[in-house]
Amino acid sequence: MKKTKKNAVLQALPLTLPTGWGDLTGQQVLRIAYYFSLGVTEPEMLLRLGAEFSDLKPRGTRQRDGEIMYMYYHRTHGNVLLNAEHMAAIASALKWVVGDPGPMQAPPLDGYSTPDSRFYGITLEQYMTAEAACGAYLRTKNPHALRMLTASLYPRRLFDPDRLEKEAGRLSYLPVWQLSAVLLWFCGAKQALMKKYPYVFSTSEGEAPALPGDEVLLGLLSSLNDGRVADNDAIKRLDVHEAFYELNLKIKNSQKK
């Protein structure tokens, strides 16, 4: 692949930046959500993220030969001077941040165990509860829906749907931007599920994949219980990957007939 001028400019600097969602640490996911919450312009957000992710501390500006230079300090490389071209290259390298999220590390929340970033260990009922909360937030922008989403995936103990409202209330002390980091991770992790279990997420008309809706849990249970309603509680407790694997296989085999 031919290197662009901006890539060449960036590679000439003593900086290392993440190249996609999969390169981020959980803490960096939190920082992206924080900068999104500030409402600053896209270039400013990307530049501030670039400086933070590459461990650059701003030290003001100076002029050199009539050109404005941006001064930073790096703990390994010392003082670093960047011109407008350098700054544009940094912003361009992080442009993916403002696109659709992909699989990434789950953000850590103080006082809570961090779930597996790919949903392993998450039950079917937990996942579908989070899906419903995600849909509710995207429709209403109500922060309570974000707390419900987070409470379903970051349970203090074992997931208990009867305690979900209470657990969501406990999360009121967290700023909305931290809860938004959970939403960002959840949306990215769903992309991996869609790729792994395409029949579960495809429409009957063969259109583009669609995410399950708020009321799909009953449909999933019906598809998996083979008519044994008494098995529903056990199915709800299945690992979401186990449940989706079985459902994906069932749908695939049914379409071959």
Side-chain angles (χ1 to χ4, degrees), residues 150-176:
T150 304
S152 64
L153 298 171
Y154 289 71
R156 291 168 62 86
R157 300 177 184 85
L158 292 177
F159 174 75
D160 183 352
D162 294 331
R163 294 178 55 84
L164 191 62
E165 285 284 353
K166 184 176 181 179
E167 293 300 326
R170 291 179 183 272
L171 292 165
S172 297
Y173 75 95
L174 290 177
V176 172

Side-chain angles (χ1 to χ4, degrees), residues 45-66:
M45 179 184 72
L46 296 180
L47 287 173
R48 291 172 69 175
L49 278 173
E52 184 171 322
F53 287 175
S54 54
D55 199 26
L56 292 175
K57 311 298 182 185
R59 293 291 186 265
T61 61
R62 60 178 292 186
Q63 283 206 354
R64 187 177 68 179
D65 299 329

Side-chain angles (χ1 to χ4, degrees), residues 20-234:
W21 295 102
D23 290 342
L24 297 172
T25 65
Q27 287 290 348
Q28 288 174 328
V29 173
L30 282 171
R31 297 306 293 166
I32 288 177
Y34 170 72
Y35 281 110
F36 274 140
S37 75
L38 296 180
V40 298
T41 64
E42 180 181 307
E44 181 180 354
M45 179 184 72
L46 296 180
L47 287 173
R48 291 172 69 175
L49 278 173
E52 184 171 322
F53 287 175
S54 54
D55 199 26
L56 292 175
K57 311 298 182 185
R59 293 291 186 265
T61 61
R62 60 178 292 186
Q63 283 206 354
R64 187 177 68 179
D65 299 329
E67 182 180 22
I68 296 179
M69 304 296 293
Y70 301 87
M71 301 173 60
Y72 291 90
Y73 176 79
H74 191 279
R75 61 182 176 181
T76 301
H77 303 289
N79 292 322
V80 178
L81 289 178
L82 305 178
N83 60 23
E85 189 177 25
H86 295 144
M87 303 296 278
I90 291 173
S92 178
L94 290 177
K95 189 75 173 179
W96 52 268
V97 168
V98 295
D100 293 333
M104 68 190 83
Q105 292 295 310
L109 299 179
D110 186 35
Y112 290 85
S113 297
T114 306
D116 180 84
S117 295
R118 297 172 296 172
F119 295 143
Y120 286 103
I122 298 293
T123 67
L124 176 63
E125 187 172 22
Q126 275 181 274
Y127 174 82
M128 294 313 305
T129 303
E131 176 66 54
C134 176
Y137 177 74
L138 294 177
R139 290 193 306 271
T140 67
K141 304 301 180 184
N142 187 335
H144 180 66
L146 281 182
R147 290 191 284 271
M148 292 288 284
L149 167 66
T150 304
S152 64
L153 298 171
Y154 289 71
R156 291 168 62 86
R157 300 177 184 85
L158 292 177
F159 174 75
D160 183 352
D162 294 331
R163 294 178 55 84
L164 191 62
E165 285 284 353
K166 184 176 181 179
E167 293 300 326
R170 291 179 183 272
L171 292 165
S172 297
Y173 75 95
L174 290 177
V176 172
W177 65 263
Q178 287 194 23
L179 303 177
S180 296
V182 176
L183 175 68
L184 195 64
W185 157 63
F186 181 75
C187 291
K190 285 193 297 187
Q191 300 304 311
L193 283 185
M194 292 172 67
K195 184 176 181 179
K196 191 168 187 177
Y197 309 109
Y199 290 94
V200 175
F201 292 90
S202 64
T203 63
S204 59
E205 293 82 10
E207 299 171 352
L211 297 179
D214 295 354
E215 300 178 359
V216 83
L217 180 57
L218 289 176
L220 292 178
L221 294 174
S222 178
S223 299
L224 291 169
N225 66 19
D226 293 325
R228 297 187 297 272
V229 178
D231 291 346
N232 282 357
D233 286 342

